[in-house]
Amino acid sequence: MSVTALESSGVQEPWLNLGGYELTSRLLVGIEQYTSPSLVRQVLEASGSQIFITTVDPDNNRPSLLLSDLEDELPLERYLWIGTTSFARSGASALHTAHILRDSYGIDILKLDVRDDGNRPDNKTTIEIAEVLRAEGYSVLPFILPDLDDARALQDLGCSALRIMAAPVASGRGIPEPRRIREIIDGVDLPVIVEGGLGTARHVTLAMEMGAAGVLVNTALVDAKEPLLMAAAMRAAVEAGRLAHLAVAMPGDEDSVGGDR
Amino acid sequence: MEVLVEIPTVFLSHTNGSKRVTAYGGTVAEVLADLDSRHRGIRSRVVNADGTLKRFVNVYVNEKDVRAADSLDTQVADGDSILILPAVAGG
């Protein structure tokens, strides 16, 4: 394979079209938990992430940086704005958040999260709310526990991509059950983003080697001793994993990637 | 008019942690000015220097977005509830 062919082999190609915006970076970075707008800017730059995730908290329980403050630090217009309902702990709250984001800021691309009290995705309610939001014209990226039937149900609703939980959010545990993730990747025709529990570059490389279309990280960068170094590490890890996936590795380590390559 | 203002989590440092505070005024702008007299700094996080509502902050009076009414000149009545809801970074 020539270098040119290598460069266009899937590392830098658009992999997801959201509202006419083509994503080429497969590293999606959440920006919760930061206390410094400057650090958010630097992390986004170091990661190469093309998206900017925003939300409101109608339940009024969660602190996060104000967009008013980030606006002074970041060229917000350079990013694809994606709304999230990650603060929502009920379907009604997720819908309410989605409606506020669209009505106030014109955001109709939604990272849909409906989590239970233990901060784990509530698959059943997520599917119910995804159906409502799809009918209302939103582009939806739902977050679920790995379950093939649920993943296919969301695919049938016309979701843009699926976000599959590898391990509890913010746990840093990596991908303890790769076969469950791999089953989703192989079983749907949508881009699968692996998210939750990815704490270091090794976890991200593994997800990409398994055939994930992308990964989403947040706490892994915030809680790293050096967030900018970890952002750069994650960026390199995504590319390494993607290339290794395309290269198709020699036999011997199938278990790590959840089965036969 | 006496109204109840719901304070977003990110502003709680201005109210010593109180999530709901009482304030007075005939319009949203007056309520915010009154609020600021006792909880210094809140108004400037909601209102621009020219007196307009900040782009990434919503204010609701009884769950109605004031931008759909008279913005900060929206009138309030005794017992109304006001919610300040800023857009924040998400993950």
Side-chain angles (χ1 to χ4, degrees), chain A residues 31 53 55 60 64-65 104 111, chain B residues 7 9-10 19 58 88-91:
Chain A
I31 50 175
I53 303 174
T55 191
N60 200 13
S64 194
L65 283 173
S104 299
K111 181 180 157 290
Chain B
I7 306 297
T9 308
V10 283
K19 280 195 163 187
N58 287 355
V88 295

Side-chain angles (χ1 to χ4, degrees), chain A residues 30-32 53-58 60-71 76 81 84 86-87 100 104-105 111 218, chain B residues 6-12 19-20 44-46 48 54-58 60 63 65 67 83-91:
Chain A
I31 50 175
E32 256 186 66
I53 303 174
T54 186
T55 191
V56 293
D57 178 22
N60 200 13
N61 290 315
R62 305 283 289 267
S64 194
L65 283 173
L66 294 172
L67 255 60
S68 301
D69 295 335
L70 284 164
E71 184 184 23
L76 294 176
W81 283 36
T84 185
S86 61
F87 292 161
I100 291 171
S104 299
Y105 306 112
K111 181 180 157 290
N218 187 335
Chain B
E6 188 162 346
I7 306 297
T9 308
V10 283
F11 294 173
L12 292 182
K19 280 195 163 187
R20 289 176 187 81
S44 66
R45 305 193 78 177
V46 178
N48 293 310
K54 287 200 174 202
R55 178 183 170 200
F56 295 121
V57 180
N58 287 355
Y60 300 84
E63 300 186 359
D65 188 342
R67 284 197 173 88
L83 168 66
I84 301 170
L85 189 67
V88 295

Side-chain angles (χ1 to χ4, degrees), chain A residues 241-258:
Chain A
R242 179 68 184 167
L243 285 171
H245 172 72
L246 294 171
V248 184
M250 64 176 285
D253 190 26
E254 287 82 357
D255 282 350
S256 293
V257 291

